[in-house]
Amino acid sequence: MSTKPDAVADQPEEAEDSVAAATQTLAEGGSVVRLKQRLPRPRGENGRFIQIAPEPLPEEAILPEDRFLDREMSWLQFNERVLQLASDPTVPLLERARFLAIFASNLDEFFMVRVAGLKRRITAGIATPSASGLEPREVLDEISEGAHELMGVHARVYQRHIRPALEDEGITLLRPNELTDADREHLDGLFREVIYPVLTPLAVDPAHPFPYISGLSLNLAVLLINPKTEREHFARVKVPPLLPRLIRLPDTPGADTLYDARFVTLEDVISEHLHHLFPGMEVHEHFTFRVTRNEDLEVEEDDAENILTALEKELTRRRFGPPVRLEVADEMDEHVLDLLVRELGVHAKEVYRLPEPLDLRGLNIVADLDRSELRWPAFGSMTHPDLAPVERAAAPDVFAAMRSGDVLLHHPYDSFSTSVQAFIEQAADDPQVLAIKQTLYRTSGDSPIIDALIEAAEAGKQVLAVVEIKARFDEQNNIVWARKLERAGVHVVYGMVGLKTHAKLCLVVRSEGESIRRYCHVGTGNYNPKTARLYEDLGLLTCDREVGEDLSRLFNQLSGMAPRSKFKRLLVAPRSVRTGLVERIDAVAEAARQGHQARIAIKVNSLVDEKIIDACYRASQAGAQVDIWVRGICSLRPDIEGLSEGVRVRSILGRFLEHSRIFLFEIEGEEPVCYIGSADMMHRNLDRRVEALVRVTDPRHIHTLTQLMDEGVSDDTSSWHLQGDGEWERHHLAPDGEPLSDLQSHLIAQYSRRRRKARRR
């Protein structure tokens, strides 16, 4: 194992030059991952390629076959944008370290779900060409090429930029040869008392088959020599995932260490003590490696009497999925690598040689250090002015505010705890509240919202929780608090068979005199107080009669049998979100065709659905302006002559995760139509999930959302621009070299001014 701090220097010269060039491209705002557009060849009924062109469509309906960008490569480009932020010296240092950890976590999920799913379909013989025209194996090849490039740049950014910058600030990640005698003495005790008892070394010999390597586990491949026989043996030591990945060392006595922090990796501590695990054997070499497996769950709901029980069983099988990626230390011997490749059954293209340390998710520990000067400026969410009590010490009366008019929330700028959380807590405490109905997709186990629902149930209120326990990678947590709710007397249901419930809804039924009134919340983000401080989301608090009736019908669908429900202010997937939005897009296109100024503005996390994209193309061809603000994947190609000259696609990443969804339709001389809600423009959202969009009707709120969309796609705002060839270009500097406006910083200042102005009223 190398003890040099920069193991990248040991890579072959060609690979080093390639990574260096890619890093430079990234620093200049260019794209490393390049989409390759290919016209799909026509096939006959038997699947063979044919030369005969298909029957032409009517002229107004013809759209080019290569109009879609590949979704998998587009996702890699999104993660490349995350990596660009980690490479940006204007971003605070600890935030750059965080972006490196986010990149690593994102890529893990990409391999576990997207790559694993693609491989599974190929193996089963059911894979079909993508909408971009690429064959499944071509997509895998493109992914392999792009992922190798990005992971190499990721490691280089850490080794060459982030690590030295951290050291300059007194934050060091030490290798074993850099430890002092005092450090070693401290680690010796830690190893004996804490680490050694939980280690399980597994040897490989005729009596011990090659051990199972669980997904995302970090491991040491150890070569041992028997001094008596001089025979070589192989052993595997798993780095315990429940122990801290980075171990903080005591401060050096006498040094100015007020703000210093010294760390060593857990695997390095173990490697320095391997002789304790194999007494009588000579430790010849050791290398780290890591396996990524297919970890996407499959539960056949039609055959499961109880989906909760079925999911619990499936979770036990998750760690046995087939491998899709093998990361190894770049200095690993070939014969050790050959052993791992053979025993794990991975392809050469699925092997990623990287400098240590592997798995840079551990940098989250560094990013959590209390060094405010190395972070974004401090920010605290503020109570929405419409919810702020006159007496500052008093709790807000959310119901009274909602009776005065709809309240449009914008998190994290508007506090989640004094709005949505306060709404649910007030409902739980209010003796006039008869029922609370709530969807839950992801939330924290110690969530005050869960506590409020339990309190309401124990007080005798009717409480319904529609729990989506299949929210990916949160399944185990969701099962725990679903059981907790059931024990408290909450009516827990798991939605509709075959559909995930992704809608963000809360309905409160309250007795008021001779009648009842329904208070509602429809949002774009989860009911999770922790992520609400990091995710940008929108929410509407309203006691509008139509919205209340719509939510009552929808909750009846989710908890019982009401398949034919019709809605007034909601669009609900899988029945009406796609069709409703396409109708609106087509109406804008028709207005543009008749000579009116018309515009479509959409903000989503991902835009993949072909019918939505084709509707946007038709609108552009008709002369409408189409603005797309997307965080992640985009399969639409902008600025193509005759197809999408009127389409702009922008992406914004920053300190908050852009997560809200907005759908805005403007026609000259008419009132704009605007929806917000939970649905992204992807097949899974529109066909396999219960999603809800609510129409925003207050002119003030429509103006606010229009202004937000205008700022998001403005050329004066720092963002990434998607080009017609599929590449993303970063635009963060004006022609004079000055930084363009950072939207999130601008919104922090804007909402602060709004709050101060409200206090003076």
Side-chain angles (χ1 to χ4, degrees), residues 149-383:
E149 191 89 66
L150 283 181
M151 289 174 68
V153 174
H154 180 239
R156 181 186 178 92
V157 169
Y158 169 70
Q159 297 283 358
R160 295 291 180 87
H161 301 283
I162 303 302
R163 179 174 174 168
L166 289 170
E167 290 177 350
D168 290 342
E169 296 292 343
I171 303 169
T172 53
L173 182 56
L174 302 173
R175 299 306 305 269
N177 67 323
E178 299 171 310
L179 298 173
T180 66
D181 290 342
D183 293 333
R184 293 180 183 279
E185 183 178 353
H186 170 75
L187 293 174
D188 286 345
L190 183 69
F191 181 82
R192 287 192 306 270
E193 299 296 327
V194 178
I195 302 173
Y196 178 79
V198 299
L199 295 179
T200 305
L202 297 174
V204 177
D205 57 32
H208 301 88
F210 191 86
Y212 180 82
I213 311 296
S214 55
L216 298 189
S217 65
L218 189 62
N219 304 271
L220 288 171
V222 186
L223 287 183
L224 304 167
I225 302 293
N226 187 324
K228 294 182 180 180
T229 64
E230 296 187 353
R231 291 185 59 185
E232 186 177 82
H233 299 268
F234 176 85
R236 170 258 192 165
V237 179
K238 181 177 179 178
V239 177
L242 296 182
L243 295 180
R245 174 69 192 291
L246 298 184
I247 297 172
R248 188 162 182 176
L249 294 166
D251 295 337
T252 304
D256 182 10
T257 57
L258 180 61
Y259 297 109
D260 288 358
R262 301 161 62 246
F263 296 94
V264 63
T265 65
L266 179 57
E267 62 268 26
D268 276 347
V269 176
I270 296 172
S271 68
E272 287 295 288
H273 295 83
L274 286 173
H275 56 282
H276 292 291
L277 299 176
F278 305 99
M281 300 289 283
E282 177 187 337
V283 179
H284 181 54
E285 291 181 298
H286 53 84
F287 311 96
T288 53
F289 70 96
R290 184 172 181 260
V291 177
T292 310
R293 295 184 177 275
N294 172 14
E295 299 204 11
D296 201 16
L297 297 180
E298 294 181 275
V299 176
E300 297 296 334
E301 298 178 38
D302 293 338
D303 299 328
E305 293 183 7
N306 186 313
I307 190 174
L308 189 63
T309 303
L311 188 63
E312 287 175 320
K313 292 179 180 178
E314 183 65 23
L315 280 169
T316 65
R317 294 194 291 268
R318 167 184 270 181
R319 63 189 187 93
F320 296 105
V324 293
R325 179 179 58 165
L326 172 61
E327 299 167 85
V328 301
D330 59 356
E331 294 182 341
M332 178 177 285
D333 285 349
E334 286 297 330
H335 72 288
V336 178
L337 179 58
D338 290 343
L339 172 67
L340 293 176
V341 168
R342 181 176 67 253
E343 294 291 345
L344 292 169
V346 298
H347 190 275
K349 290 183 178 179
E350 297 170 332
V351 177
Y352 294 77
R353 281 187 175 270
L354 299 165
E356 296 176 297
L358 303 181
D359 188 10
L360 291 179
R361 292 179 304 167
L363 288 175
N364 276 316
I365 296 174
V366 173
D368 287 337
L369 288 172
D370 187 14
R371 294 284 298 273
S372 60
E373 78 279 14
L374 303 180
R375 296 179 174 280
W376 303 113
F379 164 74
S381 301
M382 293 172 288
T383 300

Side-chain angles (χ1 to χ4, degrees), residues 2 78 116 139 177 204 210 256 280 369-370 407 416 487 574 652 703 711 722 726 753 758:
S2 170
F78 154 66
V139 174
N177 67 323
V204 177
F210 191 86
D256 182 10
L369 288 172
D370 187 14
V407 180
F416 181 88
R487 287 193 298 269
I652 294 176
H703 174 74
E711 292 174 352
L722 180 60
R753 290 193 299 270

Side-chain angles (χ1 to χ4, degrees), residues 434-438 452-458 460-465 485 489-492:
L434 307 176
I436 303 173
K437 300 184 180 185
Q438 173 104 41
L453 295 178
I454 290 173
E455 179 186 338
E458 291 175 343
K461 295 177 171 63
Q462 289 289 316
V463 181
L464 171 70
L485 288 168
V490 174
H491 300 295
V492 178

Side-chain angles (χ1 to χ4, degrees), residues 381 411-412 414-422 424-425 438 440 442-452 481 525-535 537:
S381 301
H411 310 297
D414 292 322
S415 169
F416 181 88
S417 63
T418 59
S419 57
V420 179
Q421 182 179 320
I424 298 170
E425 290 175 335
Q438 173 104 41
L440 294 169
R442 302 183 196 271
T443 190
S444 53
D446 57 349
S447 170
I449 288 177
I450 298 293
D451 294 339
W481 51 258
N526 298 308
Y527 292 99
N528 188 323
K530 292 182 179 178
T531 59
R533 295 192 290 269
L534 303 172
Y535 285 26
D537 271 304

